[in-house]
Amino acid sequence: MAGAQEPGLVETLQACFAHNTRARAEDHLDTLMRDPSNLETMFQIVGSPDVSLDCRLLAVICLRNHVNRHWRISMPTAVQRHQGDRHGQIPDNVKAKFKEVLLAMLAQGDILNDLTLIKQVALLVAKVARFELRTWPELVPVVMQGLQKEQSSPIMLLRYLVTLHFVLIEALFASKIEQREPFYQLCGAVSGPVVQLCSQYNRKALAEGSSEAVMLCCYCHKVMLRVLRGGVSGNRDVSAGQYVAETSSFIESLMNKRMEVAKNHVLTATLDKLLQKSMKALAEPYLLSPQGYNNPSFLKSLLSLATRAVVAGDPDKENLPAAFLMRCLSVVEQVIAASSSSEVAKAAFSEVLSSNVQTFLSVLLNKYLCVHSSELELWEADPEAFVFEKGDIHDDALCEVVLKEKAASVFVGLTDECGDQVMQEFTGTVERIFSTPLPGDAVATEAALYVMGLGCYTFPRFINDDMRSRWLQVSMSLATRHPNKMARRRAIWVLGQWVYEVPAENFLQVCKLLVSLQSDASNDLVIRLTAVNAFKEYVVHAQSLSTELDSNEFAGLLPAFFTSIVSILGGCSNSDLKHSILDLITLVVQTVDASIIVPHCPQLAELLHTYWKHEQQSVSKGQTDDVRNMTQIFVCLRAIVMSVGHVPAIYHLACSVIDYATDTKNACYLELIDNSCELWYEVTLHAVELTESLSLLFPRILVLFDKAFSAYDYLVRVAHQYLLLGGLSLLQAYGAPLFSGLLKVLQTMKDEPLTSVCDLVDDFLVMFPNFSRETVPVVSFMLQTVLEKSEAALCRVAYIAIVCRLIVVDKQLGMQVIASFGKTSAFIDQLIDLEDAISRRDHRKVAAMAAVALCTPPDPEYLQHIDCIMSIVVDATLGEEGEEAQYFRLSVLESRCIENETEYNKVANDRKMKVLETDPVMNTSMRDWLARCLAELQSQLGAQYPNVIKTVGEHNRKPLNI
């Protein structure tokens, strides 16, 4: 029967690879997998060499997914609930057959002879083992017997090794940490045979160098890595001593052989792979868990091997692979870091490194931290790429190549650990280099300067003021006079790194030097940009030295800085570099005083406009789909607007780029919409008037309400600012579409309180009470949410305040909205329930005024709650009288105005003040409002009025003088 179904399954699997039949085939395949009888057929497909490899791989993946979903089901997943998947757990008899077939498949001859297929089958076995490790006792013995059979072919050994590797991984993550005993037992059980296999294939890989031997050797070390990690975590004997000794010897042999061959030799790739895999297996258990190698001899052996490799390696000559050297440096770094808290690490450090610190430091300086030929070649071939890759324009001080960064970290770590001993040697080296007549040894000079820069937070405590001053003066001299451009570039970089060590009296001197270097067009691009980045550090630090600096003299340097930046950016072609320079401009604009930026706004606007047009054309023509630089222009413009406020040149450009980015006809608008809306908000926030270009953009808001899900919040804020700018004409033209859009926002984002929508509607009702009917759809939705309690209390509090605002502004309309939902007392019930949660004082007063207003005309459903209503009124009345009265207006301003002390945002604050001045809530005494409402109620109730008032408790009547 299974054989008869096989063609149907194969055809379905094949159809999954065709674009036009994929969806239907995947659905049919899902249906077929629900029938347990098809599982055996799937296994037959996996083991059939007559079926295409793609189909066999897909069959394994389907089986693995089936196991993952249905082997053990405690409760249905969200996906299963959504899809109505009622297919339950795999029956026990099918599970037993499943495991039996898997073990048979592992033992079969050459049916699994492709590495990708082997990995997928191994993953399937491991997935079952994750659930059944305790109840599948045959698995590990079968795998270990296969590994120990002398007649096993290489492909069979590989099959068992890969399976064991993935079983160990799954076993590790199968349960909670405190329940990992089966994993630790497994590690202990397999360690001995695996170590023997490692020894066997180490020798074969060295002697033969065949691809099969190398692959088996690598997988042996992969498995041993998992075993060692289990041994470290579970404190088990996993033959670590034997493995460390033999693998160390193996790596030594590999290193010697690797250094004998040229970097393009046929054996190089093989040797590099073996070095990386074996060193990873040996070192990673310690790197991930420093307390793991508590045996001193293990750690000494590991550290000794790592230091020998670092000393023997030469990154410039590439005699050892960089990834291998990186791991060796990581071991050294870890031991140094742990030596202060671990006796084992301290003993290893003392025995292996302590007596050879000077030699080791010399190796780091002369091989790892110096200029490499590849760097010089890159500088000559592509200066812009060199600047970006080597960190001259980044904030991170360690943006060198990764290996150099790690070596620098080890150097600084040794400085911390050995202190005076290291610094005495290093300062002596620096003094010798600095006292040597130029040009001297340019490589040694560059390396010494590099370490100086990296140790900017460590070294100062080891040197006196005279030495610090001398080093500063020499660095300044090298930055301008050294004939080697690498040394010059590094000296300039050091000046930026040591910014916090420059005395106040020398601060402006260094700043002038850096500005002159970046302004000199005859200088190399790398030199100029290094100076730009260094000067940025001084711009940032200058803010903390404002009392000690001549601010006018410092400000006088910034025009030259901006001019040079504009010149450099205009000549750049590297996209990544342009992005970094724009980021640099943004940082400086955010840091310095606005008065310094304003004169340069036309120049910056022209530069950004040119750059925007170039990027826009590249995207439009399909030359690139990367909009990162366009995004960075938005960020830069936003920083400028936030700093300087309304400057015509900047505003004209900002409106232009917003117009492009919010046009839904542009293919890239979704990638730009968030940043463009943030800029749009700042532009409207700082605008002094509603200009024509801003008015023309307003209809875009209505379009984007239907499309820009991610930008809803900023779109609402932008619409709010348009209203505050005096958008009566816009309201008359677009009022209904605007509130339809706001309703869509609430319906789409209804799980959030959406403060921005509430603020807009609140101000709208104050500013345009004659247009309050436009708000009915939005207010009705809010009221429905409140009455149905369909959202969290925070959301309902924000909404009920808006409903109350409508009642205060237009009582008749407000009551019509409430009446449209049937039983009117439900609203007052919710108001009473939520009143304590209303935190804003103006909203509490709005709620009180609305509650009182609802009592007229008299409605029995309302009047039965009059005592609670008067309690709300008492709270609001006391809040605006007595000692708290002076704080009432201030608290409202703080909750409704933009908190920013700059003169430019004062414009936005003034707009809000004008709204507050016309707000009836702010300008109406609560007692006067109550008196008017009660007088109206008395005239309507007549003789019944005293009886109603008697229902108000004494604790409420007395404060209100009722």
Side-chain angles (χ1 to χ4, degrees):
M1 183 175 178
Q5 292 177 350
E6 184 175 339
L9 270 173
V10 172
E11 291 169 1
T12 304
L13 291 169
Q14 290 172 339
C16 289
F17 295 99
H19 179 72
N20 58 338
T21 58
R22 179 183 301 164
R24 187 181 302 172
E26 287 176 349
D27 290 341
H28 184 52
L29 191 59
D30 185 59
T31 303
L32 291 173
M33 290 299 293
R34 295 170 187 269
D35 184 355
S37 64
N38 283 325
L39 297 180
E40 185 177 352
T41 307
M42 275 292 198
F43 276 113
Q44 292 174 8
I45 292 172
V46 174
S48 173
D50 297 329
V51 178
S52 70
L53 180 60
D54 287 341
C55 286
R56 296 169 72 187
L57 286 169
L58 182 56
V60 181
I61 293 170
C62 289
L63 287 167
R64 192 170 78 245
N65 290 338
H66 189 72
V67 167
N68 200 39
R69 292 171 185 166
H70 302 294
W71 195 273
R72 184 183 298 165
I73 299 178
S74 55
M75 61 186 298
T77 66
V79 173
Q80 289 168 334
R81 288 195 301 270
H82 176 68
Q83 296 177 344
D85 188 353
R86 294 182 293 274
H87 184 52
Q89 185 168 302
I90 298 174
D92 288 343
N93 63 325
V94 177
K95 288 182 180 179
K97 184 65 175 177
F98 207 104
K99 292 187 284 186
E100 180 184 329
V101 172
L102 280 175
L103 291 180
M105 184 173 287
L106 287 176
Q108 286 176 2
D110 291 335
I111 62 166
L112 301 180
N113 52 9
D114 176 82
L115 181 59
T116 305
L117 187 59
I118 289 172
K119 286 182 178 179
Q120 291 301 325
V121 172
L123 282 167
L124 175 58
V125 174
K127 183 62 68 175
V128 174
R130 179 170 187 163
F131 297 114
E132 301 287 332
L133 191 58
R134 292 175 182 268
T135 57
W136 197 4
E138 306 90 353
L139 174 63
V140 175
V142 167
V143 172
M144 297 312 297
Q145 288 170 13
L147 289 174
Q148 293 172 292
K149 280 183 181 178
E150 294 185 4
Q151 66 272 27
S152 292
S153 64
I155 198 70
M156 291 286 289
L157 284 172
L158 182 63
R159 195 183 302 167
Y160 286 119
L161 276 171
V162 174
T163 302
L164 181 57
H165 175 236
F166 286 119
V167 167
L168 285 165
I169 292 174
E170 287 289 347
L172 173 62
F173 298 108
S175 55
K176 298 178 181 178
I177 294 176
E178 61 271 17
Q179 298 174 346
R180 287 184 181 161
E181 187 61 28
F183 170 64
Y184 299 142
Q185 291 176 355
L186 177 60
C187 291
V190 304
S191 60
V194 174
V195 169
Q196 292 177 6
L197 275 175
C198 282
S199 301
Q200 176 185 345
Y201 280 96
N202 284 347
R203 293 190 296 270
K204 280 193 175 184
L206 267 178
E208 300 173 8
S210 65
S211 58
E212 286 182 349
V214 169
M215 186 178 295
L216 286 168
C217 180
C218 288
Y219 264 99
C220 285
H221 287 290
K222 275 188 173 184
V223 171
M224 199 59 205
L225 168 60
R226 302 294 167 185
V227 170
L228 284 172
R229 288 183 63 180
V232 166
S233 303
N235 196 25
R236 299 302 169 93
D237 179 14
V238 288
S239 307
Q242 180 185 352
Y243 179 74
V244 170
E246 293 186 1
T247 305
S248 297
S249 176
F250 173 59
I251 292 175
E252 290 272 11
S253 301
L254 284 174
M255 284 168 47
N256 294 333
K257 192 167 184 177
R258 174 62 174 82
M259 288 187 289
E260 292 172 0
V261 301
K263 65 180 181 180
N264 56 352
H265 192 276
V266 67
L267 288 177
T268 299
T270 297
L271 294 170
D272 285 356
K273 184 176 181 180
L274 286 170
L275 278 169
Q276 292 168 34
K277 296 295 183 184
S278 55
M279 190 64 191
K280 179 179 180 179
L282 191 63
E284 194 158 306
Y286 175 70
L287 294 175
L288 294 175
S289 181
Q291 72 274 17
Y293 283 174
N294 280 324
N295 187 314
S297 64
F298 294 177
L299 191 53
K300 287 175 186 176
S301 176
L302 178 62
L303 181 60
S304 178
L305 174 64
T307 52
R308 288 198 300 274
V310 172
V311 171
D314 189 334
D316 201 25
K317 296 179 180 178
E318 299 181 29
N319 63 342
L320 289 173
F324 168 73
L325 292 174
M326 182 75 178
R327 207 171 295 278
C328 293
L329 283 167
S330 296
V331 169
V332 177
E333 181 185 36
Q334 187 82 290
V335 172
I336 294 170
S339 59
S340 58
S341 57
S342 166
E343 290 298 323
V344 175
K346 187 175 182 179
F349 177 82
S350 299
E351 184 169 328
V352 177
L353 262 180
S354 185
S355 58
N356 300 307
V357 168
Q358 307 303 339
T359 304
F360 195 74
L361 288 176
S362 178
V363 168
L364 291 179
L365 272 172
N366 297 321
K367 288 185 178 181
Y368 291 83
L369 301 177
C370 62
V371 181
H372 299 147
S373 57
S374 59
E375 295 176 90
L376 289 170
E377 291 169 4
L378 180 59
W379 187 334
E380 295 296 338
D382 191 348
E384 292 184 14
F386 177 90
V387 170
F388 183 76
E389 291 181 18
K390 304 305 175 185
D392 294 89
I393 201 68
H394 294 290
D395 291 330
D396 191 348
L398 297 178
C399 270
E400 291 291 332
V401 289
V402 179
L403 190 60
K404 182 177 281 191
E405 176 185 338
K406 181 61 69 175
S409 179
V410 171
F411 192 103
V412 174
L414 280 171
T415 304
D416 285 336
E417 183 63 30
C418 300
D420 294 336
Q421 177 189 358
V422 173
M423 283 308 302
Q424 184 177 0
E425 176 68 21
F426 179 68
T427 54
T429 302
V430 173
E431 289 290 320
R432 285 193 301 274
I433 290 172
F434 282 179
S435 61
T436 303
L438 296 179
D441 186 342
V443 173
T445 302
E446 200 272 349
L449 287 167
Y450 181 48
V451 177
M452 273 181 59
L454 294 170
C456 59
Y457 300 111
T458 306
F459 295 169
R461 69 174 185 264
F462 294 104
I463 60 178
N464 56 41
D465 291 342
D466 289 341
M467 188 177 293
R468 183 183 290 108
S469 178
R470 186 166 63 255
W471 284 15
L472 174 64
Q473 294 301 323
V474 173
S475 296
M476 292 173 66
S477 175
L478 293 175
T480 56
R481 295 177 54 242
H482 202 290
N484 182 280
K485 58 185 182 181
M486 274 289 190
R488 284 188 69 198
R489 169 230 180 198
R490 189 59 73 190
I492 298 168
W493 178 77
V494 165
L495 291 174
Q497 294 303 109
W498 280 63
V499 59
Y500 295 100
E501 298 302 319
V502 175
E505 60 268 20
N506 299 116
F507 194 86
L508 288 173
Q509 181 187 5
V510 179
C511 289
K512 290 176 182 177
L513 171 67
L514 294 173
V515 171
S516 67
L517 287 169
Q518 69 192 41
S519 302
D520 187 352
S522 65
N523 276 330
D524 186 281
L525 175 65
V526 176
I527 298 293
R528 296 180 70 190
L529 281 173
T530 306
V532 166
N533 203 47
F535 183 67
K536 176 206 68 178
E537 302 293 338
Y538 285 78
V539 171
V540 174
H541 186 46
Q543 308 307 306
S544 60
L545 296 176
S546 56
T547 58
E548 303 173 57
L549 289 179
D550 182 341
S551 57
N552 291 330
E553 189 173 359
F554 179 73
L557 297 173
L558 290 173
F561 169 76
F562 279 112
T563 301
S564 61
I565 280 285
V566 170
S567 170
I568 293 169
L569 184 57
C572 280
S573 59
N574 183 287
S575 180
D576 291 326
L577 182 55
K578 286 180 178 180
H579 187 278
S580 296
I581 295 175
L582 286 172
D583 191 41
L584 183 61
I585 295 173
T586 303
L587 186 145
V588 174
V589 166
Q590 292 169 334
T591 304
V592 303
D593 189 82
S595 61
I596 299 171
I597 306 298
V598 171
H600 298 281
C601 284
Q603 191 179 18
L604 287 171
E606 183 180 355
L607 167 72
L608 293 173
H609 179 262
T610 303
Y611 189 27
W612 172 265
K613 285 297 181 184
H614 175 269
E615 292 297 313
Q616 181 183 330
Q617 289 173 5
S618 298
V619 172
S620 300
K621 294 178 180 178
Q623 297 171 349
T624 179
D625 57 358
D626 186 356
V627 297
R628 288 183 307 134
N629 288 336
M630 298 176 80
T631 299
Q632 190 60 38
I633 291 174
F634 281 111
V635 174
C636 188
L637 277 171
R638 182 169 178 249
I640 296 172
V641 171
M642 292 175 71
S643 174
V644 304
H646 188 104
V647 174
I650 296 297
Y651 262 54
H652 180 73
L653 173 61
C655 289
S656 174
V657 300
I658 292 168
D659 179 55
Y660 175 85
T662 56
D663 186 351
T664 56
K665 296 176 183 177
N666 291 323
C668 61
Y669 92 93
L670 283 175
E671 298 174 75
L672 299 173
I673 191 66
D674 289 348
N675 289 101
S676 63
C677 287
E678 289 178 19
L679 172 61
W680 198 357
Y681 172 66
E682 294 298 336
V683 166
T684 53
L685 183 67
H686 293 82
V688 294
E689 62 180 348
L690 190 60
T691 62
E692 182 181 358
S693 55
L694 277 176
S695 298
L696 291 173
L697 286 173
F698 183 80
R700 289 284 172 80
I701 298 175
L702 311 178
V703 175
L704 292 171
F705 275 152
D706 286 328
K707 297 178 179 292
F709 177 84
S710 63
Y712 275 170
D713 190 46
Y714 270 104
L715 283 171
V716 174
R717 292 192 204 181
V718 170
H720 192 175
Q721 290 305 315
Y722 271 97
L723 293 178
L724 292 174
L725 279 166
L728 182 58
S729 59
L730 294 175
L731 178 61
Q732 292 171 334
Y734 302 107
L738 172 63
F739 281 92
S740 295
L742 292 176
L743 179 60
K744 182 175 180 61
V745 171
L746 291 175
Q747 291 169 336
T748 306
M749 305 287 286
K750 63 179 182 177
D751 58 331
E752 300 178 10
L754 287 174
T755 304
S756 54
V757 175
C758 294
D759 286 346
L760 184 152
V761 178
D762 201 13
D763 280 348
F764 177 87
L765 288 169
V766 174
M767 295 172 65
F768 308 109
N770 295 333
F771 291 86
S772 56
R773 190 164 294 277
E774 300 282 8
T775 67
V776 168
V778 172
V779 177
S780 296
F781 176 84
M782 292 179 173
L783 179 59
Q784 180 182 3
T785 303
V786 170
L787 296 177
E788 293 178 355
K789 300 182 181 180
S790 58
E791 299 297 338
L794 182 64
C795 178
R796 289 184 284 123
V797 164
Y799 287 171
I800 204 167
I802 301 303
V803 179
C804 291
R805 170 69 75 175
L806 178 61
I807 294 169
V808 172
V809 171
D810 189 334
K811 177 181 173 183
Q812 183 179 1
L813 182 61
M815 295 189 74
Q816 287 176 5
V817 171
I818 294 173
S820 67
F821 285 91
K823 192 175 181 180
T824 52
S825 63
F827 172 74
I828 203 71
D829 289 338
Q830 287 301 307
L831 181 58
I832 293 169
D833 287 344
L834 295 172
E835 189 266 338
D836 287 340
I838 300 176
S839 58
R840 277 177 49 172
R841 289 191 171 190
D842 58 329
H843 281 177
R844 292 177 70 87
K845 189 173 178 182
V846 165
M849 293 173 70
V852 174
L854 287 173
C855 291
T856 55
D859 185 327
E861 292 184 351
Y862 285 158
L863 293 180
Q864 66 180 338
H865 296 292
I866 194 167
D867 185 41
C868 294
I869 291 172
M870 291 306 163
S871 177
I872 298 173
V873 174
V874 169
D875 289 344
T877 304
L878 295 177
E880 65 175 358
E881 294 180 350
E883 295 182 359
E884 294 191 14
Q886 59 181 316
Y887 301 112
F888 176 71
R889 192 175 186 85
L890 179 61
S891 66
V892 174
L893 286 174
E894 288 178 347
S895 64
R896 296 182 65 180
C897 286
I898 303 145
E899 298 179 29
N900 194 309
E901 296 179 356
T902 69
E903 60 176 300
Y904 297 102
N905 265 7
K906 185 175 181 299
V907 174
N909 284 348
D910 288 344
R911 286 202 294 269
K912 290 290 280 187
M913 282 296 298
K914 289 180 180 178
V915 176
L916 294 177
E917 288 170 359
T918 61
D919 188 348
V921 173
M922 295 294 294
N923 300 308
T924 302
S925 165
M926 192 66 233
R927 287 189 182 277
D928 293 343
W929 178 270
L930 177 63
R932 289 199 300 270
C933 291
L934 288 181
E936 185 179 350
L937 181 64
Q938 184 175 8
S939 67
Q940 293 171 346
L941 287 176
Q944 298 179 14
Y945 177 75
N947 296 329
V948 171
I949 292 300
K950 286 180 181 179
T951 62
V952 179
E954 180 68 21
H955 62 287
N956 288 327
R957 278 191 293 160
K958 186 175 181 180
L960 297 175
N961 297 322
I962 300 177

